[in-house]
Amino acid sequence: MYKPLSLGFIGGGINSAIGQTHKIASQMDGHFRLVAGCFSRDQEINLQTGQQWGLEPEKIYRDAMVLLEECHTELDALVILTPTPAHREIILACLEYRLPVICEKALVGTVEEAQEIADEVERLSGKLFVTYNYSGYPMIRELRERLLSGELGKIQQVMVEMPQEGFARLRADGSAATPQSWRCSDGPIPTVSLDLGVHVHHMVEFLTNKHALDVYAVNSTFARIPGVVDTVHIVSRYTDDLVCNYWYGKAAMGYRNGLRIRVYGSEGSAEWVQMDPEVLRMSDSAGRISLVDRTSGENRVAHHERYCRFKAGHPAGFIEAFANYYADIATSLRGEASTYAAGADTALRGLDFLQKTQQSAMSESRVGIK
């Protein structure tokens, strides 16, 4: 039995969108324990978070850099959960302290910052992990193994969509929802791409091991926040003649989070929907359609014990997928090989793709990718 690894959190207070998820997922399988944190600039929220999560008062820090200075020798990794624009400074400080980093996607907001961090990781032989948690779903990993083994023949088309309604849906009183302030302006890469685009891009790379060659994109603003891109449509050609279609955004009424993946090969097809995460819908070249679930006997990985905390009929969901990803990070931190944990190089490719996507949308032309 492994001894739990010690974590610190920066960001992720009880009022945040993702802090509680990281806290639960990191500790679900006993791989980590939270021992220190600076959870919010709001000191009342900061204190409440640390108290609710059982930290000693002296381990609830008012300043992130003080936490790093005082705790870097006792931590096995630091989790960064602040808004994306605030990541760079904290990441670079962790690397200088030789402290492994677990960072919320998209890592940073620009290609230049991502390249700087990738260079520092290499220079300092650092460890950095970016949380692409959707790749932790057992049936996504099962699909990956089936695709890479050639079960569907040559992969020809992949379609990934991630529609959400957060910028368009009204509150119960009829007023317009107001996103966090940092989501209400765009930089070189639109915030919606840093939020959602990184996931759909990573998903194609993760499933196929193919890389984008070019991109043609259309940006739209359909919701109630002027000057902010809220919807992106993309067509992209990949290596080995693969063609990908992406649709993601926050102005799709009726979709809380409509992540869906469809893969078409020369010998069959497969579909996975996050709202029904236990099942792959498969079709072969004879037209036969079958449903494959997590406990199917012919599965390659999804039936493994680590993915079966619950018996069949009790679906494993978002937090369990996140916990699977945290288990992969723990494996890497302990010096063992991990197939699934992604780092700075993955984030850099994703941000480069999304920056080229923005260039394509602005120029209304196809843009090549190195």
Side-chain angles (χ1 to χ4, degrees), residues 16-43:
S16 74
I18 202 69
Q20 181 82 334
T21 298
H22 277 268
K23 188 256 187 182
I24 295 171
S26 64
Q27 299 184 63
M28 179 175 288
D29 297 316
H31 290 295
F32 294 97
R33 62 189 182 102
L34 179 64
V35 300
C38 176
F39 304 103
S40 175
R41 291 190 178 96
D42 183 318
Q43 291 309 313

Side-chain angles (χ1 to χ4, degrees), residues 22 35 53 58 67 74 85-86 109 114 133 169 172 185 227 235 250 254 274 282 285-286 303-304 345 358:
H22 277 268
V35 300
W53 292 354
E58 65 272 15
L67 184 156
E74 62 190 68
N133 54 289
R169 187 177 178 183
S185 62
V235 177
K250 293 179 176 288
Q274 191 198 5
M282 310 288 295
S285 57
H303 64 292
H304 290 173
D345 54 344
Q358 176 67 358

Side-chain angles (χ1 to χ4, degrees), residues 26-333:
S26 64
Q27 299 184 63
M28 179 175 288
D29 297 316
H31 290 295
F32 294 97
R33 62 189 182 102
L34 179 64
V35 300
C38 176
F39 304 103
S40 175
R41 291 190 178 96
D42 183 318
Q43 291 309 313
E44 184 176 348
I45 297 281
N46 185 39
L47 184 61
Q48 288 178 2
T49 303
Q51 289 173 339
Q52 286 189 24
W53 292 354
L55 293 187
E56 298 296 330
E58 65 272 15
K59 293 300 183 181
I60 305 171
Y61 286 84
R62 298 173 63 91
D63 185 279
M65 293 304 170
V66 175
L67 184 156
L68 288 177
E69 181 180 355
E70 295 187 2
C71 295
H72 66 274
T73 58
E74 62 190 68
L75 296 176
D76 293 299
L78 184 92
V79 182
I80 300 176
L81 302 174
T82 59
T84 301
H87 288 178
R88 174 185 171 274
E89 181 183 4
I90 304 168
I91 294 169
L92 293 175
C94 289
L95 293 174
E96 288 291 343
Y97 279 120
R98 307 304 196 268
L99 178 61
V101 181
I102 302 169
C103 186
E104 253 295 327
K105 54 77 190 164
L107 186 64
V108 285
T110 69
V111 172
E112 292 74 20
E113 289 180 342
Q115 185 64 66
E116 177 188 20
I117 288 168
D119 290 344
E120 285 298 280
V121 170
E122 183 176 2
R123 181 178 72 86
L124 298 169
S125 299
K127 292 184 178 181
L128 185 147
F129 307 93
V130 183
T131 55
Y132 300 104
N133 54 289
Y134 292 102
S135 65
Y137 277 99
M139 296 312 293
I140 285 292
R141 296 185 173 189
E142 178 67 25
L143 177 57
R144 180 180 188 267
E145 295 302 315
R146 289 169 179 255
L147 295 180
L148 297 184
S149 73
E151 182 173 331
L152 299 187
K154 181 179 179 181
I155 305 306
Q156 299 167 327
Q157 304 176 71
V158 179
M159 299 183 180
V160 185
E161 56 190 57
M162 198 173 187
Q164 299 178 357
E165 64 182 0
F167 282 14
R169 187 177 178 183
L170 300 178
R171 297 190 181 98
D173 64 3
S175 62
T178 304
Q180 297 156 295
S181 59
W182 66 276
R183 297 182 188 272
C184 294
S185 62
D186 286 333
I189 300 172
T191 302
V192 72
S193 290
L194 296 175
D195 193 9
L196 306 182
V198 290
H199 281 306
V200 297
H201 173 267
H202 175 256
M203 195 59 69
V204 172
E205 279 203 356
F206 180 79
L207 290 172
T208 68
N209 275 351
K210 310 299 181 187
H211 299 290
L213 298 175
D214 61 18
V215 59
Y216 179 80
V218 176
N219 288 349
S220 302
T221 299
F222 293 134
R224 298 173 175 83
I225 304 174
V228 174
V229 174
D230 59 41
T231 304
V232 182
H233 294 82
I234 299 170
V235 177
S236 180
R237 290 182 293 193
Y238 275 58
T239 50
D240 203 22
D241 300 319
L242 173 63
V243 178
C244 296
N245 285 259
Y246 298 95
W247 167 44
Y248 57 88
K250 293 179 176 288
M253 291 288 194
Y255 287 93
R256 280 36 165 181
N257 186 34
L259 179 59
R260 179 169 72 152
I261 298 160
R262 289 172 288 171
V263 182
Y264 301 91
S266 60
E267 303 299 327
S269 68
E271 180 180 24
W272 180 85
V273 180
Q274 191 198 5
M275 291 296 286
D276 191 12
E278 298 284 85
V279 175
L280 288 178
R281 183 180 186 274
M282 310 288 295
S283 177
D284 63 22
S285 57
R288 291 182 291 262
I289 295 173
S290 60
L291 301 180
V292 180
D293 71 15
R294 176 167 48 93
T295 60
S296 296
E298 71 273 19
N299 280 347
R300 290 165 169 79
V301 296
H303 64 292
H304 290 173
E305 183 178 355
R306 65 173 296 204
Y307 301 128
C308 294
R309 301 177 185 87
F310 309 108
K311 294 180 180 180
H314 301 281
F318 183 82
I319 293 181
E320 289 82 9
F322 228 129
N324 293 335
Y325 196 84
Y326 261 104
D328 302 323
I329 293 173
T331 296
S332 292
L333 288 172

